[in-house]
Amino acid sequence: MKRTIFISIFSLLLIGCNKTDDGLVDRLAENEPAEINKEVPEMSVFNLPATWTTQDNKDIELKDLQGKVLVMVMIYTSCKAACPRLVADMRNIEKQMPKKDLDKVQFIMVSIDPETDTPGNLKKFAAENLMEEPHWMFLRGTPEDTREFAAVLAVSYKKITPIDFSHSNIISVFDKQGVMVHQQEGLGVDNEETIASIKEEVVK
């Protein structure tokens, strides 16, 4: 059901946006993909044109991560309820991956509150949660790009107070060409299928 929603929304979002880029954007040195293929599938998130800013205040596009398996979740750093549990779920998934494969996987936290989650705040949050290794990445974008990306992932969120959001609790896995292959919904759920999906994509 969720994958059907993803395909329907993504098809609409990509109208007029799918184009070939003959030049590769400068990549973060520590996140250089192992393999690059400029031709990406129509349903790839690498076709989205948004520019994101990392916790190190560097601008990237999602296509800069081509060649890595992406494990993505949308959070906000001032969250005191669901987000800490989502972070714990991501840490649990990361710990169950073979260390030799961590350079092939990018664990990404996308902020749903870019106004508050400046690069400085994202970097502080990463340090506080011991997520400073190269395979951890935090991203913020414009409110419009954030909303578009959430729609692609079928993630809903809504500001309910000046400092709080209600939001979906979904971890998404994308293959090396940016196509969604798995979603895990809920907090503290069995992540066996998620880990199996990541490992399967790593060896492809």
Side-chain angles (χ1 to χ4, degrees):
M1 174 66 175
K2 191 171 293 298
R3 186 168 177 82
T4 301
I5 295 173
F6 166 80
I7 292 172
S8 299
I9 295 174
F10 201 27
S11 297
L12 291 173
L13 290 173
L14 286 179
I15 293 175
C17 294
N18 193 4
K19 59 183 180 180
T20 301
D21 183 359
D22 293 326
L24 293 176
V25 178
D26 290 340
R27 306 180 187 284
L28 299 177
E30 68 272 22
N31 292 302
E32 186 72 24
E35 57 182 84
I36 299 297
N37 178 1
K38 294 182 185 179
E39 297 300 325
V40 297
E42 182 180 356
M43 299 307 300
S44 172
V45 292
F46 299 150
N47 290 311
L48 294 175
T51 297
W52 302 84
T53 305
T54 73
Q55 72 270 31
D56 295 316
N57 202 26
K58 295 183 178 180
D59 290 341
I60 69 165
E61 296 181 30
L62 292 179
K63 64 183 177 181
D64 297 336
L65 302 173
Q66 189 178 349
K68 292 197 174 188
V69 178
L70 309 182
V71 185
M72 307 184 79
V73 66
M74 300 191 78
I75 65 166
Y76 64 106
T77 62
S78 59
C79 175
K80 303 301 181 185
C83 297
R85 297 178 66 187
L86 281 171
V87 170
D89 285 343
M90 289 283 278
R91 289 291 303 271
N92 184 266
I93 292 170
E94 181 244 13
K95 287 179 180 178
Q96 296 186 64
M97 291 298 300
K99 288 187 178 181
K100 66 180 179 62
D101 291 335
L102 287 176
D103 64 340
K104 303 178 182 70
V105 183
Q106 197 73 59
F107 295 88
I108 302 174
M109 312 283 194
V110 181
S111 174
I112 61 175
D113 185 15
E115 181 177 350
T116 300
D117 288 337
T118 62
N121 285 341
L122 292 175
K123 193 171 184 67
K124 179 182 177 182
F125 185 86
E128 291 172 347
N129 287 276
L130 304 178
M131 304 167 93
E132 297 180 283
E133 297 92 342
H135 56 264
W136 291 108
M137 180 178 288
F138 292 76
L139 299 179
R140 70 185 291 269
T142 66
E144 295 76 19
D145 289 339
T146 303
R147 184 68 64 184
E148 179 183 67
F149 187 66
V152 168
L153 269 62
V155 169
S156 60
Y157 64 93
K158 181 179 180 180
K159 197 167 191 175
I160 54 177
T161 75
I163 60 173
D164 289 317
F165 292 77
S166 63
H167 57 88
S168 305
N169 303 309
I170 299 174
I171 294 175
S172 303
V173 179
F174 295 82
D175 67 17
K176 295 175 184 178
Q177 290 193 307
V179 177
M180 183 188 292
V181 294
H182 178 76
Q183 284 193 310
Q184 170 182 308
E185 186 168 4
L187 298 170
V189 300
D190 186 346
N191 56 27
E192 183 177 346
E193 289 186 8
T194 302
I195 294 165
S197 175
I198 298 169
K199 289 181 177 179
E200 179 181 349
E201 295 304 325
V202 163
V203 301
K204 286 184 177 178

